[in-house]
Amino acid sequence: MIRPAAAEGAGETAGADVGGRQRQSARLAELLDRSARGQEAAFADLYDLTSARIYGVVLKVLRAPDLAAEVTQEVYVEIWRQASRFSAERGNVMAWMATIAHRRAVDRVRSAVSETRRDTDWGRLDADTPHDQVWETLEHRLDTERVRKGMDSLTVIQREAVTLAYFGGYTHREVAGLLKLPLGTVKTRIRDGLIGLRDALGVEA
Amino acid sequence: MSERDHGLHAMVGAYVADALDDDDREMFEEHLSGCESCRRESAEFAETLGELTWLAQTPPPPALRSSILAEIATVRPLPPEHPVEEPMETTVQRPWPAEVPPVAPDGDPTHYTSGATDELTARRQRRLRRAMIGLVAAALVLVVGLGGWVVTLVNDQRNQQVAEQQITDLLTAPDAKIYASQLDGANVSYVISEERNKAVFLGDDLQSPGSDKVYQLWTIQGQDPTSQGLVTGSGSVTHWFDAPVDGAQVMAVTVEPAGGSPSPTTTPLAVVEL
């Protein structure tokens, strides 16, 4: 996919990261596109490039590794099924996948019925296989650092409100209870926080 | 802005972070469908939270990979929601008289140029242009054939002889192409002929974009948007492009404040690449 905007974007807030992010974004879009056509190898590549972040966010919300693995599996099967429905107008592939993953994790947290079915004992299998190292590349460390700096630029309350809502999977009413703040304040802090983070990261929709 | 609206605007962050309970979410989604700025902000926040996942990254259990790949092998991917067809040369069915005298659409070509007055505006315009171009690079261009509704639309307007003749004239141009797309849920089409240097925008069951707002039509050549005028009315609408279309690479619609804007200020919709 050609993105003639890459060079122009590099001069703005996010600096040289933009080019790399757009390349990454274009790569994911290509893999998703091929997945929509039933190419399992492309989907395997897509999994390798994204699974640490998708599993990671699901795990943050659910905390239980077994449950997180189960939900992550549902998420990827859903992504595979829905691949053709991804619309570039709605954003980039990673944001789309993260939205699906987060929504499903939160649904699981909030559903009164706790499913206990386990197809696999993930913990046991864990020990036998070497870990994939893809998430530890230099580029990924830089991305992590960039986002961490963005979070550091927020006020303490903004950061806590965003973190509890997104990674904690709490509703804004619950966040208000946890932070002992009025609901209106929490709503505003979550939004302010996301605006601050958006600007710090140079995100454009 | 009413106090209630103000409260709803503030919910956009919690909405994107899945932090609304069902009642709040329902209420907000109702608001979102009519609030362009919240839609834009929620798209930006979704991107932002996508970035935030960097801080969560954790190696998944290795067995998960093979388990997922084994399962997807047994699942059929869904077809696209909007199948794409070839642009149709309109050499087929013509349910109207063949020898209609050509009537040129009266046009007073107005050529707006994007005069950036300050750095902020310039940056915003660069961003929008980039969004437009990025969209075009990525978007599926929905190109359908004559299809039922354009014909119906043309037939419905038989009593509006002039309008019909103009459209007929354009549709019968040897190089006429029809591009169909969606605009806030309504079917829209662009009919364009480079030879005639004219294009028309047709909307079916088009809703108003909201009070004090208007749909504005654009063509883009390279980096430069050209206003093609404001689409007024709702329901079945016909709007002739104000300016010549030669050299246009993209056609799109944006929601603008009443009276229109010299260059796009919101995310382009119904984007079609020529």
Side-chain angles (χ1 to χ4, degrees), chain B residues 13-36:
Chain B
Y15 170 73
V16 179
D18 296 319
L20 295 182
D21 41 44
D22 292 347
D23 290 347
D24 287 338
R25 190 170 69 239
E26 218 167 278
M27 191 164 64
F28 182 78
E29 279 174 348
E30 200 176 302
H31 164 77
L32 190 67
S33 64
C35 181
E36 177 65 31

Side-chain angles (χ1 to χ4, degrees), chain B residues 177-225:
Chain B
K177 288 197 170 60
I178 299 174
Y179 297 86
S181 187
Q182 295 270 314
L183 179 58
D184 289 341
N187 286 321
V188 298
S189 278
Y190 305 89
V191 183
I192 183 166
S193 160
E194 284 182 51
E195 194 187 274
R196 304 272 161 92
N197 203 4
K198 285 193 179 73
V200 67
F201 169 88
L202 303 168
D204 189 34
D205 201 18
L206 197 64
Q207 306 293 312
S208 159
S211 60
D212 298 320
K213 296 207 179 76
V214 67
Y215 286 122
Q216 187 165 3
L217 206 52
W218 305 93
T219 48
I220 301 169
Q221 180 173 13
Q223 301 268 298
D224 298 320

Side-chain angles (χ1 to χ4, degrees), chain A residues 1-2 4-5 8 12 36 40 44 47-48 51-53 55-57 69 73 77 80-81 84-85 88-89 91-92 95 102-103 110 122 125-126 129 135 140 143-144 146-147 151 166-167 170-173 187 190-191 194-195 197-198 201 203-205, chain B residues 7 9-14 17-21 24-25 41 43-65 67-69 71-73 75-81 123 126-127 130 133 135 137-138 223:
Chain A
M1 185 190 308
I2 303 156
E8 199 180 332
E12 286 181 323
E40 293 164 35
Y47 175 87
D48 290 338
S51 58
R53 292 166 71 186
Y55 173 76
V57 75
Q73 174 142 356
V77 171
W80 165 261
R81 228 169 61 83
S84 71
R85 305 293 167 96
E89 289 186 43
N92 74 44
H102 191 263
R103 180 76 244 171
R110 300 209 184 129
W122 302 108
L125 290 168
D126 221 3
T129 332
W135 56 88
H140 288 195
D143 276 314
T144 306
R146 187 171 52 81
V147 178
M151 283 297 266
Y166 190 66
F167 287 144
Y170 295 105
T171 68
H172 63 164
R173 292 171 196 283
K187 274 197 288 201
I190 293 173
R191 182 177 173 217
L194 288 175
I195 289 173
L197 193 56
R198 175 196 72 190
L201 299 176
V203 166
E204 292 170 3
Chain B
H9 284 306
M11 272 190 195
V12 61
D18 296 319
L20 295 182
D21 41 44
D24 287 338
R25 190 170 69 239
E41 204 163 90
E44 289 170 350
F45 287 174
E47 301 284 313
T48 304
L49 290 174
E51 292 288 304
L52 195 55
T53 59
W54 283 115
L55 298 189
Q57 53 182 334
T58 311
L64 185 58
R65 187 181 193 273
S67 174
I68 287 173
L69 294 180
E71 184 173 349
I72 60 124
V75 175
R76 177 176 181 266
L78 291 169
E81 252 169 326
R123 276 185 53 183
R126 275 203 299 278
R127 238 165 58 178
R130 207 150 60 226
I133 290 156
L135 269 179
Q223 301 268 298

Side-chain angles (χ1 to χ4, degrees), chain B residues 141-196:
Chain B
V141 179
L142 294 177
V143 181
V144 302
L146 211 47
W149 76 264
V150 174
V151 177
T152 315
L153 188 65
V154 172
N155 286 340
D156 282 349
Q157 291 175 332
R158 280 207 177 277
N159 50 351
Q160 299 171 28
Q161 281 296 323
V162 176
E164 185 200 340
Q165 283 165 4
Q166 288 173 347
I167 296 169
T168 303
D169 182 40
L170 191 68
L171 281 169
T172 52
D175 68 334
K177 288 197 170 60
I178 299 174
Y179 297 86
S181 187
Q182 295 270 314
L183 179 58
D184 289 341
N187 286 321
V188 298
S189 278
Y190 305 89
V191 183
I192 183 166
S193 160
E194 284 182 51
E195 194 187 274
R196 304 272 161 92

Side-chain angles (χ1 to χ4, degrees), chain A:
Chain A
M1 185 190 308
I2 303 156
R3 288 189 179 262
E8 199 180 332
E12 286 181 323
T13 39
D17 295 326
V18 172
R21 268 152 69 201
Q22 293 200 340
R23 269 196 306 281
Q24 160 95 346
S25 172
R27 170 83 178 133
L28 296 183
E30 184 221 328
L31 292 172
L32 187 68
D33 193 47
R34 286 168 51 201
S35 301
R37 302 201 295 272
Q39 296 182 17
E40 293 164 35
F43 192 76
D45 287 348
L46 182 70
Y47 175 87
D48 290 338
L49 287 171
T50 57
S51 58
R53 292 166 71 186
I54 294 296
Y55 173 76
V57 75
V58 171
L59 180 67
K60 278 272 189 194
V61 174
L62 295 172
R63 298 224 173 202
D66 283 1
L67 190 56
E70 186 184 311
V71 169
T72 303
Q73 174 142 356
E74 292 172 12
V75 166
Y76 274 100
V77 171
E78 195 58 22
I79 289 165
W80 165 261
R81 228 169 61 83
Q82 301 269 356
S84 71
R85 305 293 167 96
F86 166 73
S87 154
E89 289 186 43
R90 276 188 245 151
N92 74 44
V93 171
M94 191 61 211
W96 180 70
M97 291 174 65
T99 303
I100 293 174
H102 191 263
R103 180 76 244 171
R104 207 166 260 257
V106 163
D107 281 348
R108 191 58 74 96
V109 162
R110 300 209 184 129
S111 71
V113 189
S114 160
E115 292 184 32
T116 51
R117 181 179 60 85
R118 296 283 183 279
D119 290 329
T120 318
D121 181 350
W122 302 108
R124 183 180 53 75
L125 290 168
D126 221 3
D128 303 338
T129 332
H131 280 217
D132 190 339
Q133 297 297 301
V134 71
W135 56 88
E136 284 177 2
T137 64
L138 176 64
E139 197 180 337
H140 288 195
R141 277 210 300 276
L142 291 174
D143 276 314
T144 306
E145 190 52 34
R146 187 171 52 81
V147 178
R148 185 164 291 133
K149 275 188 185 150
M151 283 297 266
D152 286 346
S153 74
L154 305 183
T155 68
V156 175
I157 292 177
Q158 286 173 342
R159 192 163 53 239
E160 272 203 273
V162 168
T163 304
L164 285 170
Y166 190 66
F167 287 144
Y170 295 105
T171 68
H172 63 164
R173 292 171 196 283
E174 291 164 346
V175 173
L178 288 167
L179 294 178
K180 300 182 177 55
L181 289 169
L183 181 60
T185 309
V186 164
K187 274 197 288 201
T188 313
R189 290 301 159 265
I190 293 173
R191 182 177 173 217
D192 291 348
L194 288 175
I195 289 173
L197 193 56
R198 175 196 72 190
D199 293 347
L201 299 176
V203 166
E204 292 170 3

Side-chain angles (χ1 to χ4, degrees), chain B residues 106-128:
Chain B
D106 53 352
D108 175 353
T110 316
H111 198 98
Y112 294 94
T113 51
S114 53
T117 49
D118 57 59
E119 180 54 20
L120 187 70
T121 317
R123 276 185 53 183
R124 199 156 115 212
Q125 285 173 356
R126 275 203 299 278
R127 238 165 58 178
L128 278 158

